[in-house]
Amino acid sequence: MELRKRVALVALLALLVTGAGCIGQGASDSVADTTTPAEEYDNATAVQQAAAEAMADVDTYTFSMEMTMEADNITMASQSNGSADVEQQRLRQNQSVVMTSAQGQNITLNSSSYLIGDTMYISTEGQSWETRNLSEMAGPMDADTMWNQSSQVRQQQQLLNASDVSFGDEKTTTIDGQEVYVIVLDIDGEALMNATMQEMDSQMQQQMSRSGIQYDNISATQYVATDSMRIVKTEMTVDMTMDGRTMHQEMVMTFDNFNEDVTIEPPVETNESAA
């Protein structure tokens, strides 16, 4: 059971960091004019800058994510959905994680999680809720560090400035009946690492430096709604080397219901089973 709890924690942290990278987009403190006609954006850089401004104004949203990670002959596949309130530092998600070994052995975990400030609530396989303070977790990632990556815009501003941006094979496409721009980001691994580390505290920076983390073969595509100029979908693949071990990650994340009312309250009784 302890392994299942660790998998739930890892998956939740992965979601927070990934979601922060997408929702924290921002290149200025102004709010995008969501009524600007789509035909005014005739190059990818203009679309990305408008999207950065629009996403900086996002306080609440719902999401879904599919992610796979391969490392050391082990594959982890995760499906998640939930909602987030960035301003109030609240996150709710349901997720299913399957870990497969090279011998074909599977470990499946279904969990529900809440993050309210610096307190995490987890229920695995519908069992009783357990609470854990982020300060009690291994590593220096505390609540403020984690949530600052969602609310601050500097990291994504630097990432944007370090990326070559272009339209995809088609300038626009349709997702669920919604017209979107297709924006391809050519991201430099060193620039991504520098942008990531600038939003971490000194202890975590030292830990990452000791691990020798490197990003390679990064591919990212964002789909920006032509009416609201908000990012509604992100696709990303990356190879990451850490402590001499290479991991390959693929992720697809979708966003919806921006700035609509969301209610994210912790479980009433932590000794009750998840619904």
Side-chain angles (χ1 to χ4, degrees), residues 13-14 16-17 134 137-147 149 155 193 196-213 215 240 242:
L13 292 176
L16 282 167
V17 174
L134 290 182
M137 295 172 55
M141 175 71 84
D142 58 18
D144 287 340
T145 300
M146 193 177 297
W147 283 106
Q149 293 187 46
Q155 177 182 351
M193 174 59 66
T196 301
M197 292 189 67
Q198 285 204 11
E199 294 304 321
M200 297 178 178
D201 59 27
S202 59
Q203 184 179 0
M204 192 166 191
Q205 289 178 2
Q206 293 174 4
Q207 181 177 351
M208 290 187 68
S209 296
R210 289 194 298 268
S211 298
I213 296 180
Y215 294 122
M240 181 173 67
M242 180 173 63

PDB file of all heavy atoms in Angstrom, residues 13-14 16-17 134 137-147 149 155 193 196-213 215 240 242:
ATOM      1  N   LEU A  13       2.199  15.522  -8.007  1.00  0.00           N
ATOM      2  CA  LEU A  13       3.245  16.518  -8.212  1.00  0.00           C
ATOM      3  C   LEU A  13       3.491  16.738  -9.694  1.00  0.00           C
ATOM      4  O   LEU A  13       3.692  17.871 -10.136  1.00  0.00           O
ATOM      5  CB  LEU A  13       4.531  16.074  -7.510  1.00  0.00           C
ATOM      6  CG  LEU A  13       4.484  16.055  -5.985  1.00  0.00           C
ATOM      7  CD1 LEU A  13       5.787  15.496  -5.437  1.00  0.00           C
ATOM      8  CD2 LEU A  13       4.203  17.426  -5.413  1.00  0.00           C
ATOM      9  N   ALA A  14       3.475  15.670 -10.476  1.00  0.00           N
ATOM     10  CA  ALA A  14       3.661  15.807 -11.920  1.00  0.00           C
ATOM     11  C   ALA A  14       2.564  16.653 -12.521  1.00  0.00           C
ATOM     12  O   ALA A  14       2.802  17.494 -13.389  1.00  0.00           O
ATOM     13  CB  ALA A  14       3.692  14.430 -12.582  1.00  0.00           C
ATOM     14  N   LEU A  16       0.775  19.006 -10.980  1.00  0.00           N
ATOM     15  CA  LEU A  16       0.927  20.390 -10.562  1.00  0.00           C
ATOM     16  C   LEU A  16       1.981  21.101 -11.392  1.00  0.00           C
ATOM     17  O   LEU A  16       1.772  22.216 -11.870  1.00  0.00           O
ATOM     18  CB  LEU A  16       1.294  20.457  -9.079  1.00  0.00           C
ATOM     19  CG  LEU A  16       0.143  20.237  -8.095  1.00  0.00           C
ATOM     20  CD1 LEU A  16       0.691  20.009  -6.703  1.00  0.00           C
ATOM     21  CD2 LEU A  16      -0.811  21.415  -8.101  1.00  0.00           C
ATOM     22  N   VAL A  17       3.125  20.452 -11.566  1.00  0.00           N
ATOM     23  CA  VAL A  17       4.195  21.088 -12.333  1.00  0.00           C
ATOM     24  C   VAL A  17       3.800  21.266 -13.787  1.00  0.00           C
ATOM     25  O   VAL A  17       4.017  22.316 -14.390  1.00  0.00           O
ATOM     26  CB  VAL A  17       5.490  20.267 -12.209  1.00  0.00           C
ATOM     27  CG1 VAL A  17       6.570  20.820 -13.114  1.00  0.00           C
ATOM     28  CG2 VAL A  17       5.971  20.285 -10.761  1.00  0.00           C
ATOM     29  N   LEU A 134       2.724  19.146   2.981  1.00  0.00           N
ATOM     30  CA  LEU A 134       3.819  19.125   2.011  1.00  0.00           C
ATOM     31  C   LEU A 134       5.182  19.212   2.678  1.00  0.00           C
ATOM     32  O   LEU A 134       6.163  18.693   2.159  1.00  0.00           O
ATOM     33  CB  LEU A 134       3.648  20.267   1.009  1.00  0.00           C
ATOM     34  CG  LEU A 134       2.487  20.139   0.027  1.00  0.00           C
ATOM     35  CD1 LEU A 134       2.474  21.318  -0.921  1.00  0.00           C
ATOM     36  CD2 LEU A 134       2.574  18.843  -0.760  1.00  0.00           C
ATOM     37  N   MET A 137       6.819  15.882   3.246  1.00  0.00           N
ATOM     38  CA  MET A 137       7.193  15.048   2.115  1.00  0.00           C
ATOM     39  C   MET A 137       8.682  15.138   1.857  1.00  0.00           C
ATOM     40  O   MET A 137       9.326  16.135   2.179  1.00  0.00           O
ATOM     41  CB  MET A 137       6.414  15.481   0.862  1.00  0.00           C
ATOM     42  CG  MET A 137       4.927  15.272   0.976  1.00  0.00           C
ATOM     43  SD  MET A 137       4.023  16.006  -0.396  1.00  0.00           S
ATOM     44  CE  MET A 137       4.844  15.232  -1.793  1.00  0.00           C
ATOM     45  N   ALA A 138       9.227  14.088   1.259  1.00  0.00           N
ATOM     46  CA  ALA A 138      10.648  14.089   0.909  1.00  0.00           C
ATOM     47  C   ALA A 138      10.919  15.156  -0.131  1.00  0.00           C
ATOM     48  O   ALA A 138      10.142  15.348  -1.065  1.00  0.00           O
ATOM     49  CB  ALA A 138      11.059  12.720   0.384  1.00  0.00           C
ATOM     50  N   GLY A 139      12.026  15.891   0.047  1.00  0.00           N
ATOM     51  CA  GLY A 139      12.380  16.930  -0.911  1.00  0.00           C
ATOM     52  C   GLY A 139      11.913  18.296  -0.451  1.00  0.00           C
ATOM     53  O   GLY A 139      11.075  18.429   0.445  1.00  0.00           O
ATOM     54  N   PRO A 140      12.422  19.355  -1.070  1.00  0.00           N
ATOM     55  CA  PRO A 140      12.163  20.716  -0.634  1.00  0.00           C
ATOM     56  C   PRO A 140      10.978  21.389  -1.317  1.00  0.00           C
ATOM     57  O   PRO A 140      10.787  22.580  -1.159  1.00  0.00           O
ATOM     58  CB  PRO A 140      13.471  21.433  -1.007  1.00  0.00           C
ATOM     59  CG  PRO A 140      13.911  20.717  -2.247  1.00  0.00           C
ATOM     60  CD  PRO A 140      13.488  19.287  -2.084  1.00  0.00           C
ATOM     61  N   MET A 141      10.169  20.674  -2.112  1.00  0.00           N
ATOM     62  CA  MET A 141       9.058  21.296  -2.813  1.00  0.00           C
ATOM     63  C   MET A 141       7.937  21.599  -1.827  1.00  0.00           C
ATOM     64  O   MET A 141       7.201  20.708  -1.415  1.00  0.00           O
ATOM     65  CB  MET A 141       8.543  20.388  -3.926  1.00  0.00           C
ATOM     66  CG  MET A 141       7.296  20.915  -4.640  1.00  0.00           C
ATOM     67  SD  MET A 141       7.604  22.348  -5.686  1.00  0.00           S
ATOM     68  CE  MET A 141       8.155  21.546  -7.186  1.00  0.00           C
ATOM     69  N   ASP A 142       7.821  22.867  -1.387  1.00  0.00           N
ATOM     70  CA  ASP A 142       6.756  23.228  -0.470  1.00  0.00           C
ATOM     71  C   ASP A 142       5.587  23.819  -1.242  1.00  0.00           C
ATOM     72  O   ASP A 142       5.624  23.976  -2.453  1.00  0.00           O
ATOM     73  CB  ASP A 142       7.257  24.200   0.600  1.00  0.00           C
ATOM     74  CG  ASP A 142       7.831  25.483   0.008  1.00  0.00           C
ATOM     75  OD1 ASP A 142       7.536  25.784  -1.173  1.00  0.00           O
ATOM     76  OD2 ASP A 142       8.571  26.185   0.717  1.00  0.00           O
ATOM     77  N   ALA A 143       4.505  24.152  -0.499  1.00  0.00           N
ATOM     78  CA  ALA A 143       3.280  24.616  -1.152  1.00  0.00           C
ATOM     79  C   ALA A 143       3.509  25.918  -1.902  1.00  0.00           C
ATOM     80  O   ALA A 143       3.041  26.088  -3.032  1.00  0.00           O
ATOM     81  CB  ALA A 143       2.173  24.782  -0.119  1.00  0.00           C
ATOM     82  N   ASP A 144       4.209  26.877  -1.285  1.00  0.00           N
ATOM     83  CA  ASP A 144       4.419  28.164  -1.938  1.00  0.00           C
ATOM     84  C   ASP A 144       5.210  28.006  -3.231  1.00  0.00           C
ATOM     85  O   ASP A 144       4.890  28.617  -4.252  1.00  0.00           O
ATOM     86  CB  ASP A 144       5.141  29.125  -0.994  1.00  0.00           C
ATOM     87  CG  ASP A 144       4.235  29.642   0.119  1.00  0.00           C
ATOM     88  OD1 ASP A 144       2.999  29.575  -0.060  1.00  0.00           O
ATOM     89  OD2 ASP A 144       4.749  30.088   1.152  1.00  0.00           O
ATOM     90  N   THR A 145       6.265  27.191  -3.179  1.00  0.00           N
ATOM     91  CA  THR A 145       7.060  26.967  -4.383  1.00  0.00           C
ATOM     92  C   THR A 145       6.206  26.362  -5.488  1.00  0.00           C
ATOM     93  O   THR A 145       6.246  26.785  -6.644  1.00  0.00           O
ATOM     94  CB  THR A 145       8.247  26.041  -4.077  1.00  0.00           C
ATOM     95  OG1 THR A 145       9.069  26.642  -3.074  1.00  0.00           O
ATOM     96  CG2 THR A 145       9.074  25.789  -5.321  1.00  0.00           C
ATOM     97  N   MET A 146       5.401  25.376  -5.125  1.00  0.00           N
ATOM     98  CA  MET A 146       4.576  24.689  -6.105  1.00  0.00           C
ATOM     99  C   MET A 146       3.539  25.628  -6.716  1.00  0.00           C
ATOM    100  O   MET A 146       3.369  25.699  -7.931  1.00  0.00           O
ATOM    101  CB  MET A 146       3.884  23.497  -5.431  1.00  0.00           C
ATOM    102  CG  MET A 146       3.247  22.516  -6.389  1.00  0.00           C
ATOM    103  SD  MET A 146       2.544  21.106  -5.493  1.00  0.00           S
ATOM    104  CE  MET A 146       4.014  20.402  -4.763  1.00  0.00           C
ATOM    105  N   TRP A 147       2.846  26.372  -5.863  1.00  0.00           N
ATOM    106  CA  TRP A 147       1.780  27.228  -6.369  1.00  0.00           C
ATOM    107  C   TRP A 147       2.299  28.476  -7.054  1.00  0.00           C
ATOM    108  O   TRP A 147       1.649  29.029  -7.942  1.00  0.00           O
ATOM    109  CB  TRP A 147       0.833  27.594  -5.243  1.00  0.00           C
ATOM    110  CG  TRP A 147      -0.086  26.462  -4.897  1.00  0.00           C
ATOM    111  CD1 TRP A 147      -0.046  25.658  -3.801  1.00  0.00           C
ATOM    112  CD2 TRP A 147      -1.182  25.980  -5.681  1.00  0.00           C
ATOM    113  NE1 TRP A 147      -1.035  24.718  -3.854  1.00  0.00           N
ATOM    114  CE2 TRP A 147      -1.749  24.890  -4.981  1.00  0.00           C
ATOM    115  CE3 TRP A 147      -1.739  26.363  -6.904  1.00  0.00           C
ATOM    116  CZ2 TRP A 147      -2.848  24.178  -5.473  1.00  0.00           C
ATOM    117  CZ3 TRP A 147      -2.822  25.660  -7.387  1.00  0.00           C
ATOM    118  CH2 TRP A 147      -3.371  24.586  -6.674  1.00  0.00           C
ATOM    119  N   GLN A 149       4.588  28.566  -9.134  1.00  0.00           N
ATOM    120  CA  GLN A 149       4.804  28.219 -10.531  1.00  0.00           C
ATOM    121  C   GLN A 149       3.515  28.339 -11.335  1.00  0.00           C
ATOM    122  O   GLN A 149       3.536  28.434 -12.553  1.00  0.00           O
ATOM    123  CB  GLN A 149       5.362  26.793 -10.635  1.00  0.00           C
ATOM    124  CG  GLN A 149       6.756  26.672 -10.059  1.00  0.00           C
ATOM    125  CD  GLN A 149       7.356  25.306 -10.311  1.00  0.00           C
ATOM    126  OE1 GLN A 149       7.289  24.792 -11.414  1.00  0.00           O
ATOM    127  NE2 GLN A 149       7.958  24.722  -9.300  1.00  0.00           N
ATOM    128  N   GLN A 155       8.634  32.479 -15.340  1.00  0.00           N
ATOM    129  CA  GLN A 155       9.188  31.268 -15.932  1.00  0.00           C
ATOM    130  C   GLN A 155       8.731  31.092 -17.373  1.00  0.00           C
ATOM    131  O   GLN A 155       9.530  30.818 -18.267  1.00  0.00           O
ATOM    132  CB  GLN A 155       8.760  30.057 -15.114  1.00  0.00           C
ATOM    133  CG  GLN A 155       9.239  28.739 -15.697  1.00  0.00           C
ATOM    134  CD  GLN A 155       8.749  27.552 -14.894  1.00  0.00           C
ATOM    135  OE1 GLN A 155       8.191  27.703 -13.832  1.00  0.00           O
ATOM    136  NE2 GLN A 155       8.954  26.374 -15.422  1.00  0.00           N
ATOM    137  N   MET A 193      15.544  24.323 -18.698  1.00  0.00           N
ATOM    138  CA  MET A 193      16.085  24.059 -17.366  1.00  0.00           C
ATOM    139  C   MET A 193      16.306  25.349 -16.593  1.00  0.00           C
ATOM    140  O   MET A 193      15.954  25.455 -15.411  1.00  0.00           O
ATOM    141  CB  MET A 193      17.402  23.285 -17.490  1.00  0.00           C
ATOM    142  CG  MET A 193      18.131  23.093 -16.158  1.00  0.00           C
ATOM    143  SD  MET A 193      17.138  22.203 -14.943  1.00  0.00           S
ATOM    144  CE  MET A 193      17.040  20.602 -15.720  1.00  0.00           C
ATOM    145  N   THR A 196      13.004  26.747 -15.475  1.00  0.00           N
ATOM    146  CA  THR A 196      12.417  25.946 -14.409  1.00  0.00           C
ATOM    147  C   THR A 196      13.092  26.232 -13.079  1.00  0.00           C
ATOM    148  O   THR A 196      12.434  26.424 -12.048  1.00  0.00           O
ATOM    149  CB  THR A 196      12.533  24.449 -14.739  1.00  0.00           C
ATOM    150  OG1 THR A 196      11.859  24.184 -15.967  1.00  0.00           O
ATOM    151  CG2 THR A 196      11.912  23.599 -13.644  1.00  0.00           C
ATOM    152  N   MET A 197      14.403  26.282 -13.073  1.00  0.00           N
ATOM    153  CA  MET A 197      15.135  26.437 -11.821  1.00  0.00           C
ATOM    154  C   MET A 197      14.971  27.819 -11.221  1.00  0.00           C
ATOM    155  O   MET A 197      15.079  27.987  -9.997  1.00  0.00           O
ATOM    156  CB  MET A 197      16.615  26.121 -12.041  1.00  0.00           C
ATOM    157  CG  MET A 197      16.882  24.656 -12.354  1.00  0.00           C
ATOM    158  SD  MET A 197      18.637  24.222 -12.376  1.00  0.00           S
ATOM    159  CE  MET A 197      19.086  24.435 -10.647  1.00  0.00           C
ATOM    160  N   GLN A 198      14.705  28.836 -12.013  1.00  0.00           N
ATOM    161  CA  GLN A 198      14.556  30.179 -11.478  1.00  0.00           C
ATOM    162  C   GLN A 198      13.349  30.307 -10.566  1.00  0.00           C
ATOM    163  O   GLN A 198      13.290  31.190  -9.725  1.00  0.00           O
ATOM    164  CB  GLN A 198      14.457  31.205 -12.612  1.00  0.00           C
ATOM    165  CG  GLN A 198      15.783  31.479 -13.274  1.00  0.00           C
ATOM    166  CD  GLN A 198      15.834  32.839 -13.943  1.00  0.00           C
ATOM    167  OE1 GLN A 198      14.953  33.666 -13.747  1.00  0.00           O
ATOM    168  NE2 GLN A 198      16.852  33.068 -14.734  1.00  0.00           N
ATOM    169  N   GLU A 199      12.354  29.406 -10.725  1.00  0.00           N
ATOM    170  CA  GLU A 199      11.168  29.460  -9.888  1.00  0.00           C
ATOM    171  C   GLU A 199      11.262  28.547  -8.669  1.00  0.00           C
ATOM    172  O   GLU A 199      10.293  28.397  -7.936  1.00  0.00           O
ATOM    173  CB  GLU A 199       9.923  29.092 -10.713  1.00  0.00           C
ATOM    174  CG  GLU A 199       9.607  30.095 -11.805  1.00  0.00           C
ATOM    175  CD  GLU A 199       9.435  31.510 -11.277  1.00  0.00           C
ATOM    176  OE1 GLU A 199       8.845  31.677 -10.186  1.00  0.00           O
ATOM    177  OE2 GLU A 199       9.906  32.441 -11.939  1.00  0.00           O
ATOM    178  N   MET A 200      12.444  27.940  -8.420  1.00  0.00           N
ATOM    179  CA  MET A 200      12.623  27.041  -7.284  1.00  0.00           C
ATOM    180  C   MET A 200      13.449  27.717  -6.203  1.00  0.00           C
ATOM    181  O   MET A 200      14.218  28.635  -6.473  1.00  0.00           O
ATOM    182  CB  MET A 200      13.326  25.751  -7.743  1.00  0.00           C
ATOM    183  CG  MET A 200      12.529  24.950  -8.757  1.00  0.00           C
ATOM    184  SD  MET A 200      13.445  23.495  -9.291  1.00  0.00           S
ATOM    185  CE  MET A 200      12.226  22.761 -10.399  1.00  0.00           C
ATOM    186  N   ASP A 201      13.289  27.230  -4.978  1.00  0.00           N
ATOM    187  CA  ASP A 201      14.122  27.761  -3.907  1.00  0.00           C
ATOM    188  C   ASP A 201      15.531  27.190  -4.041  1.00  0.00           C
ATOM    189  O   ASP A 201      15.799  26.269  -4.808  1.00  0.00           O
ATOM    190  CB  ASP A 201      13.517  27.469  -2.531  1.00  0.00           C
ATOM    191  CG  ASP A 201      13.339  25.977  -2.259  1.00  0.00           C
ATOM    192  OD1 ASP A 201      14.094  25.174  -2.831  1.00  0.00           O
ATOM    193  OD2 ASP A 201      12.442  25.630  -1.470  1.00  0.00           O
ATOM    194  N   SER A 202      16.464  27.740  -3.258  1.00  0.00           N
ATOM    195  CA  SER A 202      17.877  27.390  -3.407  1.00  0.00           C
ATOM    196  C   SER A 202      18.134  25.917  -3.092  1.00  0.00           C
ATOM    197  O   SER A 202      18.970  25.279  -3.737  1.00  0.00           O
ATOM    198  CB  SER A 202      18.740  28.275  -2.505  1.00  0.00           C
ATOM    199  OG  SER A 202      18.358  28.137  -1.141  1.00  0.00           O
ATOM    200  N   GLN A 203      17.422  25.361  -2.116  1.00  0.00           N
ATOM    201  CA  GLN A 203      17.643  23.966  -1.754  1.00  0.00           C
ATOM    202  C   GLN A 203      17.265  23.041  -2.902  1.00  0.00           C
ATOM    203  O   GLN A 203      17.982  22.088  -3.208  1.00  0.00           O
ATOM    204  CB  GLN A 203      16.839  23.609  -0.500  1.00  0.00           C
ATOM    205  CG  GLN A 203      17.097  22.195   0.003  1.00  0.00           C
ATOM    206  CD  GLN A 203      16.302  21.869   1.250  1.00  0.00           C
ATOM    207  OE1 GLN A 203      15.544  22.693   1.752  1.00  0.00           O
ATOM    208  NE2 GLN A 203      16.458  20.666   1.755  1.00  0.00           N
ATOM    209  N   MET A 204      16.148  23.342  -3.547  1.00  0.00           N
ATOM    210  CA  MET A 204      15.727  22.481  -4.646  1.00  0.00           C
ATOM    211  C   MET A 204      16.637  22.656  -5.853  1.00  0.00           C
ATOM    212  O   MET A 204      16.921  21.697  -6.584  1.00  0.00           O
ATOM    213  CB  MET A 204      14.284  22.774  -5.027  1.00  0.00           C
ATOM    214  CG  MET A 204      13.688  21.721  -5.950  1.00  0.00           C
ATOM    215  SD  MET A 204      11.909  21.837  -6.063  1.00  0.00           S
ATOM    216  CE  MET A 204      11.538  20.300  -6.920  1.00  0.00           C
ATOM    217  N   GLN A 205      17.129  23.891  -6.075  1.00  0.00           N
ATOM    218  CA  GLN A 205      18.077  24.111  -7.156  1.00  0.00           C
ATOM    219  C   GLN A 205      19.332  23.270  -6.951  1.00  0.00           C
ATOM    220  O   GLN A 205      19.853  22.666  -7.894  1.00  0.00           O
ATOM    221  CB  GLN A 205      18.433  25.595  -7.242  1.00  0.00           C
ATOM    222  CG  GLN A 205      17.312  26.477  -7.754  1.00  0.00           C
ATOM    223  CD  GLN A 205      17.712  27.938  -7.776  1.00  0.00           C
ATOM    224  OE1 GLN A 205      18.840  28.292  -7.449  1.00  0.00           O
ATOM    225  NE2 GLN A 205      16.787  28.801  -8.158  1.00  0.00           N
ATOM    226  N   GLN A 206      19.812  23.211  -5.724  1.00  0.00           N
ATOM    227  CA  GLN A 206      20.999  22.418  -5.428  1.00  0.00           C
ATOM    228  C   GLN A 206      20.737  20.934  -5.653  1.00  0.00           C
ATOM    229  O   GLN A 206      21.587  20.210  -6.179  1.00  0.00           O
ATOM    230  CB  GLN A 206      21.439  22.667  -3.984  1.00  0.00           C
ATOM    231  CG  GLN A 206      21.951  24.077  -3.730  1.00  0.00           C
ATOM    232  CD  GLN A 206      22.240  24.338  -2.266  1.00  0.00           C
ATOM    233  OE1 GLN A 206      22.119  23.435  -1.430  1.00  0.00           O
ATOM    234  NE2 GLN A 206      22.609  25.570  -1.933  1.00  0.00           N
ATOM    235  N   GLN A 207      19.546  20.480  -5.256  1.00  0.00           N
ATOM    236  CA  GLN A 207      19.210  19.072  -5.438  1.00  0.00           C
ATOM    237  C   GLN A 207      19.153  18.713  -6.914  1.00  0.00           C
ATOM    238  O   GLN A 207      19.653  17.661  -7.335  1.00  0.00           O
ATOM    239  CB  GLN A 207      17.869  18.761  -4.777  1.00  0.00           C
ATOM    240  CG  GLN A 207      17.452  17.301  -4.896  1.00  0.00           C
ATOM    241  CD  GLN A 207      16.154  17.017  -4.175  1.00  0.00           C
ATOM    242  OE1 GLN A 207      15.630  17.851  -3.454  1.00  0.00           O
ATOM    243  NE2 GLN A 207      15.619  15.815  -4.375  1.00  0.00           N
ATOM    244  N   MET A 208      18.561  19.582  -7.735  1.00  0.00           N
ATOM    245  CA  MET A 208      18.480  19.312  -9.165  1.00  0.00           C
ATOM    246  C   MET A 208      19.859  19.354  -9.802  1.00  0.00           C
ATOM    247  O   MET A 208      20.164  18.558 -10.695  1.00  0.00           O
ATOM    248  CB  MET A 208      17.544  20.319  -9.831  1.00  0.00           C
ATOM    249  CG  MET A 208      16.089  20.131  -9.461  1.00  0.00           C
ATOM    250  SD  MET A 208      14.987  21.194 -10.398  1.00  0.00           S
ATOM    251  CE  MET A 208      15.139  20.497 -12.055  1.00  0.00           C
ATOM    252  N   SER A 209      20.713  20.271  -9.343  1.00  0.00           N
ATOM    253  CA  SER A 209      22.072  20.347  -9.883  1.00  0.00           C
ATOM    254  C   SER A 209      22.851  19.075  -9.576  1.00  0.00           C
ATOM    255  O   SER A 209      23.583  18.553 -10.431  1.00  0.00           O
ATOM    256  CB  SER A 209      22.801  21.566  -9.312  1.00  0.00           C
ATOM    257  OG  SER A 209      22.176  22.765  -9.715  1.00  0.00           O
ATOM    258  N   ARG A 210      22.689  18.558  -8.356  1.00  0.00           N
ATOM    259  CA  ARG A 210      23.381  17.320  -7.990  1.00  0.00           C
ATOM    260  C   ARG A 210      22.885  16.139  -8.815  1.00  0.00           C
ATOM    261  O   ARG A 210      23.629  15.199  -9.082  1.00  0.00           O
ATOM    262  CB  ARG A 210      23.194  17.034  -6.500  1.00  0.00           C
ATOM    263  CG  ARG A 210      23.958  17.975  -5.568  1.00  0.00           C
ATOM    264  CD  ARG A 210      23.990  17.430  -4.158  1.00  0.00           C
ATOM    265  NE  ARG A 210      22.653  17.303  -3.593  1.00  0.00           N
ATOM    266  CZ  ARG A 210      22.054  18.251  -2.885  1.00  0.00           C
ATOM    267  NH1 ARG A 210      22.678  19.404  -2.658  1.00  0.00           N
ATOM    268  NH2 ARG A 210      20.842  18.067  -2.390  1.00  0.00           N
ATOM    269  N   SER A 211      21.611  16.185  -9.204  1.00  0.00           N
ATOM    270  CA  SER A 211      21.046  15.082  -9.988  1.00  0.00           C
ATOM    271  C   SER A 211      21.465  15.135 -11.447  1.00  0.00           C
ATOM    272  O   SER A 211      21.266  14.169 -12.187  1.00  0.00           O
ATOM    273  CB  SER A 211      19.507  15.108  -9.903  1.00  0.00           C
ATOM    274  OG  SER A 211      19.083  14.936  -8.569  1.00  0.00           O
ATOM    275  N   GLY A 212      22.040  16.269 -11.859  1.00  0.00           N
ATOM    276  CA  GLY A 212      22.488  16.400 -13.243  1.00  0.00           C
ATOM    277  C   GLY A 212      21.348  16.318 -14.241  1.00  0.00           C
ATOM    278  O   GLY A 212      21.485  15.696 -15.297  1.00  0.00           O
ATOM    279  N   ILE A 213      20.232  16.935 -13.943  1.00  0.00           N
ATOM    280  CA  ILE A 213      19.066  16.852 -14.809  1.00  0.00           C
ATOM    281  C   ILE A 213      19.313  17.600 -16.110  1.00  0.00           C
ATOM    282  O   ILE A 213      19.817  18.717 -16.118  1.00  0.00           O
ATOM    283  CB  ILE A 213      17.817  17.420 -14.100  1.00  0.00           C
ATOM    284  CG1 ILE A 213      17.470  16.555 -12.881  1.00  0.00           C
ATOM    285  CG2 ILE A 213      16.630  17.484 -15.053  1.00  0.00           C
ATOM    286  CD1 ILE A 213      16.273  17.041 -12.122  1.00  0.00           C
ATOM    287  N   TYR A 215      17.275  18.242 -20.090  1.00  0.00           N
ATOM    288  CA  TYR A 215      16.136  18.045 -20.972  1.00  0.00           C
ATOM    289  C   TYR A 215      16.645  17.962 -22.413  1.00  0.00           C
ATOM    290  O   TYR A 215      17.468  18.761 -22.840  1.00  0.00           O
ATOM    291  CB  TYR A 215      15.145  19.203 -20.862  1.00  0.00           C
ATOM    292  CG  TYR A 215      14.462  19.320 -19.520  1.00  0.00           C
ATOM    293  CD1 TYR A 215      14.565  20.485 -18.760  1.00  0.00           C
ATOM    294  CD2 TYR A 215      13.688  18.284 -19.011  1.00  0.00           C
ATOM    295  CE1 TYR A 215      13.932  20.601 -17.537  1.00  0.00           C
ATOM    296  CE2 TYR A 215      13.045  18.392 -17.796  1.00  0.00           C
ATOM    297  CZ  TYR A 215      13.174  19.561 -17.053  1.00  0.00           C
ATOM    298  OH  TYR A 215      12.545  19.667 -15.851  1.00  0.00           O
ATOM    299  N   MET A 240      14.293  13.237 -20.480  1.00  0.00           N
ATOM    300  CA  MET A 240      14.941  13.848 -19.319  1.00  0.00           C
ATOM    301  C   MET A 240      15.951  12.866 -18.746  1.00  0.00           C
ATOM    302  O   MET A 240      15.643  11.691 -18.534  1.00  0.00           O
ATOM    303  CB  MET A 240      13.905  14.214 -18.255  1.00  0.00           C
ATOM    304  CG  MET A 240      14.496  14.884 -17.027  1.00  0.00           C
ATOM    305  SD  MET A 240      13.202  15.467 -15.893  1.00  0.00           S
ATOM    306  CE  MET A 240      12.516  13.903 -15.342  1.00  0.00           C
ATOM    307  N   MET A 242      18.390  12.090 -15.529  1.00  0.00           N
ATOM    308  CA  MET A 242      18.567  12.432 -14.113  1.00  0.00           C
ATOM    309  C   MET A 242      19.347  11.316 -13.431  1.00  0.00           C
ATOM    310  O   MET A 242      18.972  10.142 -13.528  1.00  0.00           O
ATOM    311  CB  MET A 242      17.213  12.629 -13.423  1.00  0.00           C
ATOM    312  CG  MET A 242      17.307  12.993 -11.944  1.00  0.00           C
ATOM    313  SD  MET A 242      15.688  13.424 -11.239  1.00  0.00           S
ATOM    314  CE  MET A 242      14.838  11.853 -11.447  1.00  0.00           C
TER     315      MET A 242
END
